[in-house]
Amino acid sequence: MLPDLAGDPYRTVLARLHAALKPKTYFEIGTLGGATLGLAKCSSVAVDPRFGIKDTGVILNKPTCLLFQQTSDDFFAANKLTDLFGANVDFAFLDGMHKCEFLLRDFINTERQSHKNTMIVLHDCIPTEIPMTGRDGIDGKAEAPHRRGWWTGDVWRTLWALMQFRPDLSITALDAKPTGLILITNLHPTSTRLSNQYPEIEKAMLEATLSDIGIENWQALIKVESTGNYASDDQILAKFAFDRH
Ligand SMILES: C[S@@+](CC[C@H](N)C(=O)[O-])C[C@H]1O[C@@H](n2cnc3c(N)ncnc32)[C@H](O)[C@@H]1O
């Protein structure tokens, strides 16, 4: 079991990214009460099979906001983000089903509708103990008493697969509380590397184990950085300054 991550809370970090990058279009998978959807002030599309939004401010602070109450797989089977926005996605937060193959499909489908300078952010890929990584959200919960209810699932495996199969991506891992944020840029919307090898990648992902890698080695492998390195607009733009369109 590792100590808690030392960085700023993930929603604080997301708020800083919104403020610095000023996306024109925001896409979110996994919304629940809307705490992360509410951070976006631009045209937004959100997908969740069970929305729990009670605060209308989450929606009313944007020019447009489309909510799709369905799974992300069903959403992508029937919709094109580029049609909904009339543009590609600038910024995406993928925080839906916490199983690695679901997040891999969410990444593949989102990247297809991105542009090179889109940022896709993944949640929960830096677990601090193995019990929180179980694939069953009810049985796989954390052991430390103050972490009861924390469930990362095995989405760390999706990050592992992206590192193995997509070395062209730029990946920045941040120690955001409680279980990390992964910022992915240098996207290639026409890449078919993941979709063409999907069955093989899924098999390889499911065979990778954190016990073999070592939970502390995982943090070294993904080069976890302090959220303090990305606390100001200048710091964020120094790393992610690109023509956003
Ligand atoms: C951890 S919560 C999202 C929390 C929110 N992003 C935040 O930070 O406040 C995960 C959400 O994913 C949704 N979810 C579960 N399975 C999903 C799926 N297959 N597709 C899309 N969303 C899913 C759940 O209904 C739940 O609301």
mmCIF file of all heavy atoms in Angstrom, residues 140-160:
data_model
loop_
_atom_site.group_PDB
_atom_site.id
_atom_site.type_symbol
_atom_site.label_atom_id
_atom_site.label_comp_id
_atom_site.label_asym_id
_atom_site.label_seq_id
_atom_site.Cartn_x
_atom_site.Cartn_y
_atom_site.Cartn_z
ATOM 1 N N GLY A 140 -14.087 -4.725 -5.179
ATOM 2 C CA GLY A 140 -12.721 -4.294 -5.415
ATOM 3 C C GLY A 140 -12.358 -2.998 -4.737
ATOM 4 O O GLY A 140 -11.551 -2.249 -5.249
ATOM 5 N N LYS A 141 -12.941 -2.696 -3.595
ATOM 6 C CA LYS A 141 -12.698 -1.382 -2.995
ATOM 7 C C LYS A 141 -11.451 -1.351 -2.124
ATOM 8 O O LYS A 141 -10.945 -2.366 -1.686
ATOM 9 C CB LYS A 141 -13.930 -1.003 -2.192
ATOM 10 C CG LYS A 141 -15.162 -0.887 -3.089
ATOM 11 C CD LYS A 141 -15.679 0.503 -3.115
ATOM 12 C CE LYS A 141 -16.699 0.670 -4.210
ATOM 13 N NZ LYS A 141 -17.991 1.053 -3.739
ATOM 14 N N ALA A 142 -10.996 -0.129 -1.862
ATOM 15 C CA ALA A 142 -9.761 0.067 -1.112
ATOM 16 C C ALA A 142 -9.852 -0.480 0.312
ATOM 17 O O ALA A 142 -10.929 -0.553 0.893
ATOM 18 C CB ALA A 142 -9.446 1.554 -1.072
ATOM 19 N N GLU A 143 -8.654 -0.809 0.862
ATOM 20 C CA GLU A 143 -8.598 -1.385 2.207
ATOM 21 C C GLU A 143 -8.384 -0.331 3.292
ATOM 22 O O GLU A 143 -8.953 -0.413 4.362
ATOM 23 C CB GLU A 143 -7.455 -2.392 2.269
ATOM 24 C CG GLU A 143 -7.943 -3.784 1.910
ATOM 25 C CD GLU A 143 -6.819 -4.819 1.903
ATOM 26 O OE1 GLU A 143 -5.705 -4.525 2.385
ATOM 27 O OE2 GLU A 143 -7.094 -5.902 1.396
ATOM 28 N N ALA A 144 -7.525 0.668 3.004
ATOM 29 C CA ALA A 144 -7.232 1.678 4.036
ATOM 30 C C ALA A 144 -8.542 2.343 4.451
ATOM 31 O O ALA A 144 -9.333 2.728 3.578
ATOM 32 C CB ALA A 144 -6.262 2.712 3.480
ATOM 33 N N PRO A 145 -8.793 2.475 5.754
ATOM 34 C CA PRO A 145 -10.095 2.984 6.204
ATOM 35 C C PRO A 145 -10.469 4.333 5.589
ATOM 36 O O PRO A 145 -11.610 4.536 5.184
ATOM 37 C CB PRO A 145 -9.923 3.107 7.726
ATOM 38 C CG PRO A 145 -8.840 2.138 8.063
ATOM 39 C CD PRO A 145 -7.929 2.060 6.863
ATOM 40 N N HIS A 146 -9.483 5.264 5.453
ATOM 41 C CA HIS A 146 -9.839 6.579 4.904
ATOM 42 C C HIS A 146 -10.076 6.516 3.397
ATOM 43 O O HIS A 146 -10.511 7.501 2.796
ATOM 44 C CB HIS A 146 -8.773 7.614 5.236
ATOM 45 C CG HIS A 146 -7.505 7.469 4.455
ATOM 46 N ND1 HIS A 146 -6.564 6.505 4.718
ATOM 47 C CD2 HIS A 146 -7.020 8.160 3.389
ATOM 48 C CE1 HIS A 146 -5.562 6.622 3.860
ATOM 49 N NE2 HIS A 146 -5.816 7.612 3.048
ATOM 50 N N ARG A 147 -9.782 5.353 2.770
ATOM 51 C CA ARG A 147 -10.000 5.224 1.315
ATOM 52 C C ARG A 147 -11.237 4.395 0.983
ATOM 53 O O ARG A 147 -11.440 4.033 -0.177
ATOM 54 C CB ARG A 147 -8.783 4.555 0.664
ATOM 55 C CG ARG A 147 -7.517 5.383 0.751
ATOM 56 C CD ARG A 147 -6.330 4.574 0.248
ATOM 57 N NE ARG A 147 -5.104 5.348 0.277
ATOM 58 C CZ ARG A 147 -3.885 4.811 0.158
ATOM 59 N NH1 ARG A 147 -3.755 3.500 0.022
ATOM 60 N NH2 ARG A 147 -2.818 5.582 0.188
ATOM 61 N N ARG A 148 -12.025 4.080 2.002
ATOM 62 C CA ARG A 148 -13.212 3.265 1.729
ATOM 63 C C ARG A 148 -14.072 3.923 0.661
ATOM 64 O O ARG A 148 -14.333 5.131 0.714
ATOM 65 C CB ARG A 148 -14.059 3.100 3.007
ATOM 66 C CG ARG A 148 -13.488 2.127 4.005
ATOM 67 C CD ARG A 148 -13.804 0.689 3.658
ATOM 68 N NE ARG A 148 -12.724 -0.225 4.028
ATOM 69 C CZ ARG A 148 -12.461 -0.603 5.286
ATOM 70 N NH1 ARG A 148 -13.198 -0.183 6.266
ATOM 71 N NH2 ARG A 148 -11.460 -1.428 5.526
ATOM 72 N N GLY A 149 -14.475 3.133 -0.326
ATOM 73 C CA GLY A 149 -15.302 3.696 -1.391
ATOM 74 C C GLY A 149 -14.488 4.125 -2.595
ATOM 75 O O GLY A 149 -15.043 4.435 -3.640
ATOM 76 N N TRP A 150 -13.161 4.176 -2.475
ATOM 77 C CA TRP A 150 -12.347 4.540 -3.635
ATOM 78 C C TRP A 150 -12.242 3.323 -4.537
ATOM 79 O O TRP A 150 -11.865 2.238 -4.097
ATOM 80 C CB TRP A 150 -10.932 4.940 -3.221
ATOM 81 C CG TRP A 150 -10.831 6.170 -2.384
ATOM 82 C CD1 TRP A 150 -11.833 6.802 -1.713
ATOM 83 C CD2 TRP A 150 -9.643 6.896 -2.082
ATOM 84 N NE1 TRP A 150 -11.344 7.872 -1.017
ATOM 85 C CE2 TRP A 150 -9.993 7.955 -1.225
ATOM 86 C CE3 TRP A 150 -8.305 6.758 -2.441
ATOM 87 C CZ2 TRP A 150 -9.073 8.869 -0.730
ATOM 88 C CZ3 TRP A 150 -7.374 7.658 -1.951
ATOM 89 C CH2 TRP A 150 -7.758 8.712 -1.114
ATOM 90 N N TRP A 151 -12.576 3.500 -5.797
ATOM 91 C CA TRP A 151 -12.478 2.401 -6.754
ATOM 92 C C TRP A 151 -11.901 2.938 -8.055
ATOM 93 O O TRP A 151 -12.561 3.688 -8.765
ATOM 94 C CB TRP A 151 -13.862 1.769 -7.021
ATOM 95 C CG TRP A 151 -13.823 0.685 -8.050
ATOM 96 C CD1 TRP A 151 -12.973 -0.393 -8.067
ATOM 97 C CD2 TRP A 151 -14.631 0.556 -9.224
ATOM 98 N NE1 TRP A 151 -13.220 -1.174 -9.168
ATOM 99 C CE2 TRP A 151 -14.222 -0.626 -9.901
ATOM 100 C CE3 TRP A 151 -15.665 1.309 -9.771
ATOM 101 C CZ2 TRP A 151 -14.820 -1.050 -11.084
ATOM 102 C CZ3 TRP A 151 -16.250 0.887 -10.958
ATOM 103 C CH2 TRP A 151 -15.837 -0.287 -11.598
ATOM 104 N N THR A 152 -10.647 2.542 -8.337
ATOM 105 C CA THR A 152 -10.057 2.968 -9.613
ATOM 106 C C THR A 152 -10.391 1.969 -10.711
ATOM 107 O O THR A 152 -10.304 2.306 -11.892
ATOM 108 C CB THR A 152 -8.513 3.056 -9.526
ATOM 109 O OG1 THR A 152 -8.013 1.770 -9.151
ATOM 110 C CG2 THR A 152 -8.063 4.098 -8.528
ATOM 111 N N GLY A 153 -10.761 0.729 -10.303
ATOM 112 C CA GLY A 153 -10.867 -0.313 -11.310
ATOM 113 C C GLY A 153 -9.491 -0.541 -11.935
ATOM 114 O O GLY A 153 -8.463 -0.105 -11.390
ATOM 115 N N ASP A 154 -9.466 -1.184 -13.088
ATOM 116 C CA ASP A 154 -8.172 -1.515 -13.697
ATOM 117 C C ASP A 154 -7.862 -0.630 -14.908
ATOM 118 O O ASP A 154 -7.202 -1.064 -15.841
ATOM 119 C CB ASP A 154 -8.100 -3.011 -14.059
ATOM 120 C CG ASP A 154 -9.070 -3.391 -15.164
ATOM 121 O OD1 ASP A 154 -9.972 -2.574 -15.472
ATOM 122 O OD2 ASP A 154 -8.928 -4.489 -15.729
ATOM 123 N N VAL A 155 -8.336 0.626 -14.860
ATOM 124 C CA VAL A 155 -8.056 1.516 -16.006
ATOM 125 C C VAL A 155 -6.569 1.867 -16.123
ATOM 126 O O VAL A 155 -6.133 2.346 -17.176
ATOM 127 C CB VAL A 155 -8.926 2.802 -15.981
ATOM 128 C CG1 VAL A 155 -10.383 2.474 -16.252
ATOM 129 C CG2 VAL A 155 -8.762 3.561 -14.681
ATOM 130 N N TRP A 156 -5.777 1.593 -15.066
ATOM 131 C CA TRP A 156 -4.317 1.765 -15.211
ATOM 132 C C TRP A 156 -3.827 0.922 -16.388
ATOM 133 O O TRP A 156 -2.863 1.280 -17.056
ATOM 134 C CB TRP A 156 -3.589 1.380 -13.909
ATOM 135 C CG TRP A 156 -3.667 -0.090 -13.605
ATOM 136 C CD1 TRP A 156 -4.634 -0.733 -12.891
ATOM 137 C CD2 TRP A 156 -2.764 -1.109 -14.063
ATOM 138 N NE1 TRP A 156 -4.391 -2.086 -12.883
ATOM 139 C CE2 TRP A 156 -3.238 -2.341 -13.586
ATOM 140 C CE3 TRP A 156 -1.594 -1.102 -14.830
ATOM 141 C CZ2 TRP A 156 -2.599 -3.555 -13.848
ATOM 142 C CZ3 TRP A 156 -0.952 -2.300 -15.090
ATOM 143 C CH2 TRP A 156 -1.450 -3.509 -14.597
ATOM 144 N N ARG A 157 -4.522 -0.209 -16.632
ATOM 145 C CA ARG A 157 -4.109 -1.092 -17.747
ATOM 146 C C ARG A 157 -4.286 -0.394 -19.104
ATOM 147 O O ARG A 157 -3.549 -0.681 -20.046
ATOM 148 C CB ARG A 157 -4.955 -2.377 -17.747
ATOM 149 C CG ARG A 157 -4.591 -3.363 -16.663
ATOM 150 C CD ARG A 157 -5.426 -4.631 -16.833
ATOM 151 N NE ARG A 157 -4.885 -5.743 -16.109
ATOM 152 C CZ ARG A 157 -5.561 -6.455 -15.199
ATOM 153 N NH1 ARG A 157 -6.818 -6.161 -14.917
ATOM 154 N NH2 ARG A 157 -4.983 -7.471 -14.592
ATOM 155 N N THR A 158 -5.268 0.484 -19.204
ATOM 156 C CA THR A 158 -5.455 1.211 -20.468
ATOM 157 C C THR A 158 -4.236 2.089 -20.717
ATOM 158 O O THR A 158 -3.717 2.150 -21.837
ATOM 159 C CB THR A 158 -6.728 2.087 -20.406
ATOM 160 O OG1 THR A 158 -7.793 1.311 -19.890
ATOM 161 C CG2 THR A 158 -7.080 2.638 -21.777
ATOM 162 N N LEU A 159 -3.776 2.772 -19.675
ATOM 163 C CA LEU A 159 -2.574 3.599 -19.814
ATOM 164 C C LEU A 159 -1.383 2.720 -20.193
ATOM 165 O O LEU A 159 -0.586 3.074 -21.073
ATOM 166 C CB LEU A 159 -2.314 4.353 -18.503
ATOM 167 C CG LEU A 159 -1.028 5.163 -18.433
ATOM 168 C CD1 LEU A 159 -0.944 6.183 -19.554
ATOM 169 C CD2 LEU A 159 -0.905 5.849 -17.071
ATOM 170 N N TRP A 160 -1.278 1.570 -19.551
ATOM 171 C CA TRP A 160 -0.195 0.623 -19.877
ATOM 172 C C TRP A 160 -0.254 0.286 -21.371
ATOM 173 O O TRP A 160 0.767 0.300 -22.073
ATOM 174 C CB TRP A 160 -0.369 -0.639 -19.020
ATOM 175 C CG TRP A 160 0.627 -1.722 -19.301
ATOM 176 C CD1 TRP A 160 1.871 -1.874 -18.740
ATOM 177 C CD2 TRP A 160 0.473 -2.808 -20.237
ATOM 178 N NE1 TRP A 160 2.490 -2.984 -19.277
ATOM 179 C CE2 TRP A 160 1.653 -3.577 -20.197
ATOM 180 C CE3 TRP A 160 -0.545 -3.203 -21.100
ATOM 181 C CZ2 TRP A 160 1.846 -4.710 -20.986
ATOM 182 C CZ3 TRP A 160 -0.356 -4.329 -21.886
ATOM 183 C CH2 TRP A 160 0.832 -5.073 -21.820
#
